[in-house]
Amino acid sequence: MIHTYTIPCLDLAQIDASGQCFRMTCRKDGWWQILTRDRQALARQSGPDQICLDCPPGEEAFWLSYFDCDTDYPQIIQSIDPEDAYLRAAAHAGSGIRILRQDPWEMIITFVISQQKTIPHIRQLTQALCRRYGSPLKAKGSQEDPLFAFPRPDQLAAASLEELLDLKLGYRAKYIYQLSQDAYQERLDLTVLSSMDYPEAMKYLTGFYGIGKKVANCICLFGLHHIQAFPVDTWIEKILMRQYYQPKKYRRTPKTRLLDQLVQDNFGKYDGYAGVLQQYIFYYERMGLFK
DNA sequence: TACCAGGGGTAAG
DNA sequence: CTTACCCATGGT
């Protein structure tokens, strides 16, 4: 079934480029193929703030939730401090970005893979993992290549450490191996994780081998929809130091606390949704739109 | 608190 | 041909 929906602040190309999902591809005919868990849909930008969605019957509500259609993004953009010209420009440039409601397990593995990797390479490795361990999906439209679901914990737990190393996961292989074993044996309880608030989820996630603060924040933001989460990677670090660092003010702040302090001082005022603004500045910087 | 190894791909020098 | 870097973490 194909339906057209009008949703403010929704741009599929911007979402794709925002680095939050790695299983979204634009076909030659302009339709985006979107995969999450074991579901697939096609979507096409039919106008500003308007998409055509082609999904299995009965899944419309799931996909509208996936695109976070109940969150008021125009209001978020409007709340930006008028004196923060950089943030205003970034939000204007990436105003079609929404925080997708993705799957926690898929985000755990995907963002462990993301460690010290470029976005194209993260896509490639994620696809390799799905192809090797995920269940095949019935092709939709005129697709020739078979599609694969993201492997469930029980499927990924069948992988040996040697197999994962063969997929060129490098030092991340041991993390993914251990996390798969933990999830399969329910030491990592995804149901409990999903019921936790942001601070609880951070504490829980960082307790597992291979999940540090940055990856835990990505899982919270993209997999659990805790939109107050504010992941700090090398891009965000560069922005914080260039746009917000004042030598006088932070002269006696230890290096490891400096970034936390900069986030708190400049984004703490956006209580409860700072992660949305993180996505705007990440996109703005990575796309080279600044200056 | 601060450094450093860990793989591998890619871009720049 | 090197070197630097990439949506980092764990161990020291």
Side-chain angles (χ1 to χ4, degrees), chain A residues 25-285:
Chain A
T25 52
C26 191
R27 306 195 313 191
K28 286 176 183 173
D29 61 8
W31 285 83
W32 290 89
Q33 177 180 80
I34 304 165
L35 296 168
T36 184
R37 289 184 68 127
D38 57 348
R39 295 176 194 250
Q40 56 173 312
L42 293 173
R44 183 172 67 85
Q45 195 79 36
S46 52
D49 304 329
Q50 192 183 82
I51 59 165
C52 292
L53 180 65
D54 180 1
C55 69
E59 287 191 13
E60 289 82 6
F62 171 86
W63 287 102
L64 289 176
S65 169
Y66 180 80
F67 286 112
D68 196 26
C69 69
D70 290 330
T71 298
D72 190 347
Y73 286 83
Q75 169 59 36
I76 290 173
I77 293 173
Q78 205 161 14
S79 78
I80 294 173
D81 183 351
E83 293 187 21
D84 193 338
Y86 174 80
L87 184 53
R88 290 188 78 84
H92 180 72
S95 62
I97 297 169
R98 288 172 162 261
I99 309 295
L100 301 177
R101 292 180 181 263
Q102 300 187 76
D103 178 65
W105 170 244
E106 189 168 332
M107 292 301 96
I108 288 171
I109 299 303
T110 301
F111 280 94
V112 167
I113 291 174
S114 82
Q115 296 177 191
Q116 289 293 104
K117 289 285 182 195
T118 57
I119 288 174
H121 202 193
I122 299 165
R123 291 182 196 279
Q124 189 182 310
L125 286 168
T126 303
Q127 189 175 19
L129 212 60
C130 293
R131 189 176 277 275
R132 178 71 180 78
Y133 301 102
S135 301
L137 297 175
K138 190 153 190 177
K140 189 176 182 62
S142 58
Q143 189 67 30
E144 292 176 13
D145 292 333
L147 301 175
F148 292 87
F150 195 86
R152 300 182 306 271
D154 62 290
Q155 293 175 309
L156 208 48
S160 69
L161 179 58
E162 288 73 22
E163 283 177 338
L164 295 173
L165 285 167
D166 286 343
L167 290 177
K168 317 266 189 206
L169 288 164
Y171 64 85
R172 302 158 201 79
K174 60 184 184 291
Y175 300 151
I176 291 169
Y177 176 78
Q178 188 59 51
L179 285 164
S180 299
Q181 298 299 317
D182 285 344
Y184 179 52
Q185 293 166 32
E186 296 182 2
R187 288 188 293 268
L188 197 179
D189 191 325
L190 297 166
T191 306
V192 168
L193 172 64
S194 298
S195 72
M196 291 176 171
D197 64 21
Y198 173 57
E200 288 172 337
M202 282 298 290
K203 193 171 176 60
Y204 185 70
L205 285 167
T206 53
F208 291 93
Y209 185 54
I211 302 179
K213 188 176 171 184
K214 191 270 168 183
V215 167
N217 267 309
C218 286
I219 297 164
C220 284
L221 183 56
F222 306 127
L224 300 168
H225 208 72
H226 295 313
I227 60 174
Q228 65 267 56
F230 196 99
V232 176
D233 57 38
T234 55
W235 292 87
I236 297 295
E237 177 176 339
K238 199 193 307 180
I239 295 165
L240 290 172
M241 294 305 287
R242 188 190 63 222
Q243 299 297 135
Y244 299 100
Y245 176 64
Q246 299 163 273
K248 281 184 189 171
K249 186 173 177 183
Y250 298 105
R251 183 170 0 152
R252 306 204 328 155
T253 310
K255 183 106 186 187
T256 48
R257 292 197 71 182
L258 178 57
L259 294 172
D260 281 341
Q261 203 60 52
L262 287 169
V263 171
Q264 184 56 44
D265 290 351
N266 297 285
F267 295 89
K269 61 184 115 177
Y270 309 110
D271 192 27
Y273 59 94
V276 178
L277 306 171
Q278 187 271 6
Q279 283 293 281
Y280 294 146
I281 63 174
F282 178 82
Y283 173 84
Y284 194 52
E285 187 74 13

